[in-house]
Amino acid sequence: MIKTQELTVNMGPVHPSTHGVFRCVIKLDGEYVTDVENHTGYLHRGLEKLAESRTYTQFIPYTDRLDYVSGIMNNHAYVMAVEKLMPELEVPERAEYIRVILAELQRMANHMLFIGTFSLDVAGLTGLFYALRDREYILELLEEVTGSRLTPSFMRIGGVPEDLTPDWLARTRKVIDDIEARAIPEYNDLITGNEIFQARTKLTGIATKEQAIDWGWSGPNLRASGVPYDLRKDEPYSIYDRFEFDVPVGTNGDNFDRYYQRVLEIPESIKILRQAIDTIPEGPIMAKVPKVIKPPAGEVFFQYEHAKGQLGFYIVSDGSTKPYRLRIYSPAFEALGLFPTIGKGCLVQDTVVTLASIDIVLGEVDR
């Protein structure tokens, strides 16, 4: 029997398939990966410490820089955490509907970017162009309301700063109808049903139900491993308890299931959007919020069903205008923790696909 010496290779910190400034050290026995070790921290900016020297409102733009492809959802989670510190604050119903509409559009845009980049990481360039084309329609709608495509800083403590026009709602309905009728079948024809794509993704990077739970996975990654848990359904916040939608789950917890989970979740967001557009009430969009926000002393932890999993904000208030302490619970960081386990025992090119399948953004991992 011929024995070969293991080769240690750095993948990153500038590797194009690492979805940010991330490095992992892999050991190879020929083309097979025998060990994976994460190295993070290249994008650490100290956001949690910065929060202590910013007022509650001033910190909103910093949340855009967490998962910087889902800024609206980061805003939404943070302002709801602060509002939980201020139980006397009643967010107007119309503002709640606007928040949900924007958040679900952002979820769709996140999943489309994932579908496109995941296809690229499996060497399918065409899939990237199709997904980015459809994501562009959504970003145009979001930019019209928030003024930004990437860093909206739109949510406010107590509501939202701008209203939606009937024309915008009508155009949004047209866009989501088109995505459901045309885009989803195209993704399935071009990517999902492709034999080479299936050969590269099925039964690789398997995360069992037990592993996913033990490592604190959440969101699409957890559901792809067969756990039907979604905060919008199981612990509803805002007005999500008013909407009917399903929670799709996977069976094998492999790279294919994690990809297909995102494809299945887009139509569910469309269901929520249609119901919200049909039932959005008239009325104010901001609560009566004092000019200087000083939540009473106390502490809260709020979890939010983000596009990448459960995003959490833990805030300690001492009664002043700034948080005494703020901590961010990152779903991408939790997902990355299991990567060394599911990324080994396969070919090196499959390890790259496995990393792509857990959908991380290093801005949120490192914070």
Side-chain angles (χ1 to χ4, degrees), residues 267-332:
E268 301 308 318
S269 289
I270 291 174
K271 288 181 185 178
I272 295 172
L273 284 166
R274 285 202 183 107
Q275 294 172 71
I277 291 171
D278 287 340
T279 58
I280 183 171
E282 296 295 333
I285 57 171
M286 273 294 293
K288 292 183 179 179
V289 181
K291 290 184 178 180
V292 179
I293 295 177
K294 290 184 177 181
E299 58 183 341
V300 296
F301 179 62
F302 178 75
Q303 281 189 295
Y304 181 93
E305 188 64 40
H306 192 275
K308 289 180 171 59
Q310 293 177 20
L311 173 64
F313 282 92
Y314 171 69
I315 304 175
V316 178
S317 170
D318 59 1
S320 69
T321 59
K322 304 171 184 177
Y324 174 77
R325 191 72 178 94
L326 184 143
R327 292 284 289 172
I328 302 166
Y329 181 86
S330 162

Side-chain angles (χ1 to χ4, degrees), residues 11-54:
M11 189 170 78
V14 292
H15 192 285
S17 294
T18 56
H19 307 272
V21 192
F22 167 69
R23 176 171 72 101
C24 64
V25 178
I26 58 177
K27 290 184 179 179
L28 299 175
D29 182 3
E31 287 290 318
Y32 286 88
V33 177
T34 60
D35 191 39
V36 179
E37 183 178 315
N38 288 336
H39 290 265
T40 60
Y42 292 92
L43 203 55
H44 177 63
R45 293 145 296 158
L47 294 185
E48 296 170 334
K49 187 64 177 177
L50 279 169
E52 299 175 16
S53 58
R54 303 293 186 274

